[in-house]
Amino acid sequence: MKTLVLANQKGGVGKSAVAVQLAYFFNLVMKKRVLVIDLDHQRNTSKAIRTGAIAAISQLAASRLLSTRIDGGEVENAEFVLISADNAELLRMEKQADKHNSFATNLQSFLKTVDGQFDVCIIDTNPNPDIRQLAALVVSNYVLSPLQLNQEAIDGIGDLLNHDNIGIRKIQATLNPTLQLIGILPNLVEPTPFQRDNFRDLSTHFAKLLIPMATGFAAIKKSTAVPESQAVGLPIWKLGKTSGRDAWTQIRPVFEQIATTMGVI
């Protein structure tokens, strides 16, 4: 099983939409067995997948994977399973920094027990750098970081890489040497001079952190089809609108490149 965590220090970048549509892609297009774990108390990933009724909804709550030693036998036997976020319990974990070792150990133990049950595990995390995000980064194989092309988000790349507690480079050096950054993924991209300039600057100064494509670097354009798909919980290509088909034509090669990097073929 390959485990991918979506992480960013900033909210509002469309991270949960990427997580949901990636899960649908791996399950419905790539025909892989997929487990989704939602550690974000905002529950956007959980809401969308629940609404779509495509995945089996586990009776387990996401917080228990951190707080308790859970055996994989408790997970529903299905090709596509969601372990939903539970708001109150996940929020309480934010201030339990002293438990980061036990949380990461419990989560890692759980993932090992479901290793043969799923091909891909996608973990969505909260945007603030706390113990939940740290635990997810410690146990994952890959990390993907969507961001918007505004100056605040670009300035935050330094924190993503070098944060004292959960910077990717520190985790790679001390806690999870196998963690691989798939890349920074510009999301909600608009054809404005401001965003074009920011994308050019990003490509110039952080080219090694972007996801290379056949031409240029991976990015996902802003489209009304994405929030519409999230609202009804559907894969974007099943939205039944021209906007959905157009958006999927642009998004699918990006997801295929991510799958290739992860070795999910």
Side-chain angles (χ1 to χ4, degrees), residues 1-252:
M1 183 178 73
K2 305 294 178 67
T3 300
L4 169 69
V5 58
L6 283 91
N8 194 297
Q9 308 296 332
K10 306 292 182 182
V13 299
K15 174 176 56 61
S16 294
V18 173
V20 171
Q21 295 301 320
L22 258 177
Y24 286 148
F25 167 73
F26 280 126
N27 180 246
L28 300 175
V29 177
M30 300 293 290
K31 306 301 180 184
K32 301 299 180 182
R33 300 167 299 169
V34 177
L35 174 66
V36 177
I37 300 172
D38 189 1
L39 295 179
D40 186 352
H41 58 271
Q42 297 176 84
R43 299 178 288 185
N44 292 326
T45 290
S46 297
K47 291 172 186 175
I49 294 178
R50 280 180 174 273
T51 300
I54 295 172
I57 309 302
S58 179
Q59 295 302 304
L60 286 169
S63 66
R64 291 192 62 213
L65 304 186
L66 299 173
S67 64
T68 311
R69 188 67 66 96
I70 299 293
D71 186 270
E74 296 188 43
V75 178
E76 286 69 8
N77 184 19
E79 296 288 306
F80 186 12
V81 176
L82 166 69
I83 299 180
S84 302
D86 46 330
N87 177 276
E89 289 302 320
L90 287 171
L91 274 174
R92 273 194 280 271
M93 290 179 166
E94 285 187 334
K95 298 180 180 179
Q96 300 180 45
D98 60 314
K99 295 185 178 180
H100 69 86
N101 284 337
S102 64
F103 282 5
T105 298
N106 289 337
L107 183 57
Q108 187 170 54
S109 175
F110 169 76
L111 292 175
K112 286 181 179 179
T113 66
V114 296
D115 184 71
Q117 188 174 340
F118 298 99
D119 302 303
V120 178
C121 175
I122 295 175
I123 304 177
D124 192 13
T125 61
N126 47 301
N128 49 316
D130 73 357
I131 189 170
R132 289 172 285 159
Q133 195 177 110
L134 175 60
L137 289 167
V138 169
V139 304
S140 294
N141 307 115
Y142 301 94
V143 55
L144 176 68
S145 184
L147 91 167
Q148 277 189 275
L149 290 173
N150 56 53
Q151 196 58 50
E152 181 184 32
I154 292 174
D155 290 344
I157 292 174
D159 283 341
L160 174 72
L161 296 173
N162 303 311
H163 189 281
D164 289 342
N165 295 322
I166 65 167
I168 291 173
R169 287 172 175 161
K170 181 170 183 178
I171 290 173
Q172 289 171 325
T174 61
L175 299 171
N176 184 2
T178 65
L179 180 66
Q180 179 179 337
L181 174 63
I182 289 181
I184 293 166
L185 177 61
N187 193 28
L188 304 172
V189 176
E190 299 180 83
T192 64
F194 175 75
Q195 291 216 357
R196 282 197 297 268
D197 288 347
N198 279 343
F199 200 0
R200 185 186 62 247
D201 290 346
L202 194 66
S203 302
T204 300
H205 299 293
F206 297 102
K208 291 183 179 180
L209 303 179
L210 294 170
I211 302 172
M213 302 291 289
T215 56
F217 297 104
I220 297 178
K221 296 177 182 178
K222 187 174 184 178
S223 168
T224 58
V226 175
E228 288 179 24
S229 298
Q230 289 295 99
V232 295
L234 287 177
I236 197 166
W237 65 91
K238 291 183 177 289
L239 190 58
K241 294 185 177 183
T242 300
S243 60
R245 291 188 291 272
D246 290 346
W248 181 238
T249 297
Q250 188 258 327
I251 292 171
R252 180 169 182 163

